[in-house]
Amino acid sequence: MTKNIESSQVVSPDQSGLRLDQAAAQLFPEYSRARLQQWIKDGDLRVDGQQGKVKDKVFGGEQLSLHAEPENSDQYQPEDLLLNIIHEDDSVLIINKPVGLVVHPAAGNYSGTLLNGLLAYCPELAELPRAGIVHRLDKDTSGLMVVAKTLQAHHDLVAQLQQRTVARHYEAIVQGVLTAGGTIDAPIGRHPVQRQKRAVSEGESAREAITHYRVKTRFRCHTHVTVQLETGRTHQIRVHMAHLGYPVVGDQVYGGRYKPPRAAAPELLAFLQQFKRQALHARTLGFYHPETTIYVQWDAPLPEDMQELLALLEQDRD
């Protein structure tokens, strides 16, 4: 039988001025904003024991108490999908997600997602929030993800994400030649006009976002970088690198108009023109195992398309 959700968090001073649903989204990141808003309206998510409204402001120090029925993953259909599982034990699954796989059902993608595949592979995950998924990768970003198999593991991993003890290292190929690595500390919120996009912003929806990047290889017109996330905002690496002026190669949302590099080899130009996904891969994932508390880490090599692109870039600078 599925257990009810019982959890509480205290609003921090730096969340003062946020709407109740915005603060709740930060304090309970394992649940969708829409779900949290509904719980607020139903009185399942209370402020200091009192029912609030979605748009109420918080000032810091309030206790948000959540007493609710879990999200029902049974509404989604199990589907037999080929999952690249590189590790499994009683607590977690480590998956190497391919390009093109949507993680969670949403408008326009109600089937064929990682969640659908997880429900077929392990039906018990229907009892967990989002079938055990605690973080996401964009559809066209490849690489490592962890999925919790128990409620205890789910709570533990979410807490580690909040405490920033989960190591997430990415590799990306960006446009332009970076002279050195650095840190981008710039809040990210919804784009003021295009609501499906994110942008560096000081607006009401903006949240702290910190990205560390290091130059791995410089090419004639591109740079191969390694990236470490300190926070995990939607599209964070893509938004931050574009904000810096070095958008990720192939990014159809934040990359701007394609500008072919001057005097590039025909093979490279042809490959870049048909490279329609962001050249971004979640290479390394590490955390403290929820059951043993021992630090564990996995690594997934670059997918073939990024390896081929790097090989062409190497040839182009000769």
Side-chain angles (χ1 to χ4, degrees):
M1 181 179 179
T2 304
K3 296 181 179 178
N4 285 345
I5 298 167
E6 302 284 341
S7 184
S8 65
Q9 299 285 348
V10 176
V11 178
S12 65
D14 63 0
Q15 292 167 324
S16 177
L18 293 180
R19 296 183 352 174
L20 175 55
D21 64 330
Q22 293 172 335
Q26 294 186 17
L27 294 170
F28 304 98
E30 62 267 43
Y31 305 110
S32 67
R33 177 76 68 87
R35 175 66 65 174
L36 291 165
Q37 289 173 339
Q38 190 59 53
W39 281 335
I40 292 169
K41 294 174 183 177
D42 292 343
D44 296 328
L45 177 56
R46 293 177 171 262
V47 183
D48 293 330
Q50 303 297 316
Q51 184 168 356
K53 297 180 180 179
V54 168
K55 295 184 179 181
D56 286 349
K57 298 290 186 182
V58 295
F59 302 98
E62 299 96 332
Q63 184 174 43
L64 304 191
S65 300
L66 178 59
H67 305 277
E69 294 183 0
E71 293 181 282
N72 182 14
S73 295
D74 290 333
Q75 64 184 297
Y76 304 115
Q77 294 299 315
E79 296 179 43
D80 286 322
L81 302 178
L82 182 61
L83 302 178
N84 185 3
I85 298 170
I86 65 172
H87 172 81
E88 180 177 9
D89 56 42
D90 291 339
S91 299
V92 297
L93 286 167
I94 306 298
I95 293 172
N96 187 7
K97 188 189 86 67
V99 172
L101 179 62
V102 174
V103 170
H104 192 277
N109 289 289
Y110 287 108
S111 64
T113 72
L114 174 61
L115 184 145
N116 298 111
L118 288 170
L119 291 177
Y121 178 77
C122 185
E124 295 80 7
L125 292 177
E127 298 185 1
L128 300 184
R130 298 188 182 186
I133 296 169
V134 296
H135 66 120
R136 300 189 189 190
L137 292 176
D138 297 334
K139 174 184 176 181
D140 289 328
T141 297
S142 56
L144 295 174
M145 293 182 59
V146 59
V147 176
K149 292 180 64 178
T150 68
L151 193 59
Q152 183 271 331
H154 189 275
H155 289 164
D156 186 279
L157 290 167
V158 168
Q160 288 194 55
L161 285 166
Q162 292 175 326
Q163 295 160 10
R164 304 181 183 179
T165 59
V166 176
R168 289 171 291 171
H169 298 269
Y170 293 71
E171 290 193 27
I173 304 167
V174 300
Q175 300 176 41
V177 182
L178 283 159
T179 57
T183 295
I184 307 168
D185 185 349
I188 291 176
R190 288 193 179 275
H191 192 282
V193 178
Q194 298 169 280
R195 304 301 289 172
Q196 296 302 108
K197 294 177 62 175
R198 299 297 191 273
V200 169
S201 168
E202 297 291 342
E204 188 179 76
S205 67
R207 299 172 64 185
E208 179 187 31
I210 301 173
T211 303
H212 308 283
Y213 63 96
R214 181 171 61 85
V215 172
K216 190 174 178 69
T217 310
R218 295 182 187 88
F219 300 102
R220 196 168 58 82
C221 300
H222 299 81
T223 310
H224 181 195
V225 296
T226 58
V227 183
Q228 180 182 359
L229 287 182
E230 188 168 325
T231 55
R233 309 304 173 213
T234 301
H235 301 169
Q236 179 172 320
I237 294 173
R238 299 163 61 192
V239 171
H240 268 173
M241 296 312 295
H243 176 71
L244 196 65
Y246 298 87
V248 178
V249 169
D251 194 330
Q252 303 299 298
V253 177
Y254 301 103
R257 185 175 179 180
Y258 173 69
K259 298 178 182 178
R262 292 181 179 179
E267 295 84 1
L268 174 59
L269 287 174
F271 194 83
L272 286 170
Q273 287 175 336
Q274 58 85 38
F275 199 95
K276 299 299 184 182
R277 68 100 168 182
Q278 59 268 10
L280 182 61
H281 176 69
R283 178 76 185 242
T284 304
L285 176 66
F287 52 84
Y288 293 95
H289 194 281
E291 187 173 348
T292 67
T293 71
I294 295 172
Y295 184 78
V296 289
Q297 184 170 293
W298 292 268
D299 184 84
L302 288 176
E304 290 184 4
D305 61 348
M306 287 183 65
Q307 291 186 42
E308 185 174 354
L309 176 55
L310 288 172
L312 289 170
L313 290 172
E314 183 68 33
Q315 294 173 16
D316 182 64
R317 66 178 181 177
D318 292 339

